[in-house]
């Protein structure tokens, strides 16, 4: 249900569903991260899921870095909308 509401927000802005956009990919990775985090709270020794979570976190981090360099305004809006922390700059 949350995914559908986000798709409608993106489609309203761009008048089409653009599932390959950076914003949509970050949104889908964030949903996967939240699901895996809740799974790992119950199953602390599921090391395969821990590795998968780290990989997804790295992918999302790379996409957020790209978005912050490309369009800072969209980056800030996405961070606020998804309620995630801002990336550290080096």
């Amino acid at each position: 249900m949350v995914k559908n509401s986000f798709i409608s927000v993106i489609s309203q802005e761009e008048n089409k569903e653009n599932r390959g956009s950076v914003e949509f990919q970050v949104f889908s990775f964030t949903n996967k991260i939240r699901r895996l985090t809740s799974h790992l709270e119950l199953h602390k020794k599921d090391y395969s899921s821990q590795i998968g979570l780290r990989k997804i976190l790295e992918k999302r981090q790379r996409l957020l870095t790209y978005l912050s360099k490309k369009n800072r305004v969209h980056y800030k809006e996405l961070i606020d909308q998804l309620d995630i922390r801002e990336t550290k700059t080096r």
Side-chain angles (χ1 to χ4, degrees):
M1 182 182 288
V2 175
K3 183 184 277 189
N4 292 335
S5 66
F6 187 74
I7 291 172
S8 66
V9 169
I10 289 176
S11 65
Q12 289 173 358
E13 291 176 1
E14 300 176 1
N15 295 330
K16 63 179 181 177
E17 292 184 27
N18 190 2
R19 294 178 183 215
S21 68
V22 176
E23 292 89 355
F24 184 81
Q25 289 181 38
V26 169
F27 174 76
S28 64
F29 284 144
T30 302
N31 282 339
K32 287 180 185 179
I33 289 167
R34 289 184 177 146
R35 274 192 314 228
L36 276 174
T37 303
S38 64
H39 169 77
L40 287 171
E41 288 175 356
L42 297 174
H43 309 284
K44 296 185 188 312
K45 294 189 177 185
D46 188 355
Y47 299 115
S48 299
S49 292
Q50 288 178 9
I51 292 169
L53 177 63
R54 287 190 198 110
K55 286 182 180 181
I56 294 171
L57 283 168
E58 291 169 3
K59 286 181 184 179
R60 184 180 76 173
Q61 182 64 41
R62 285 194 300 268
L63 284 171
L64 285 172
T65 303
Y66 168 77
L67 186 62
S68 70
K69 290 178 183 177
K70 183 180 174 190
N71 192 342
R72 193 73 177 170
V73 175
H74 283 288
Y75 170 76
K76 289 284 190 183
E77 290 174 359
L78 187 64
I79 294 292
D80 292 338
Q81 190 176 28
L82 295 177
D83 194 31
I84 54 179
R85 287 182 279 175
E86 190 169 345
T87 59
K88 293 182 180 179
T89 56
R90 294 183 181 181

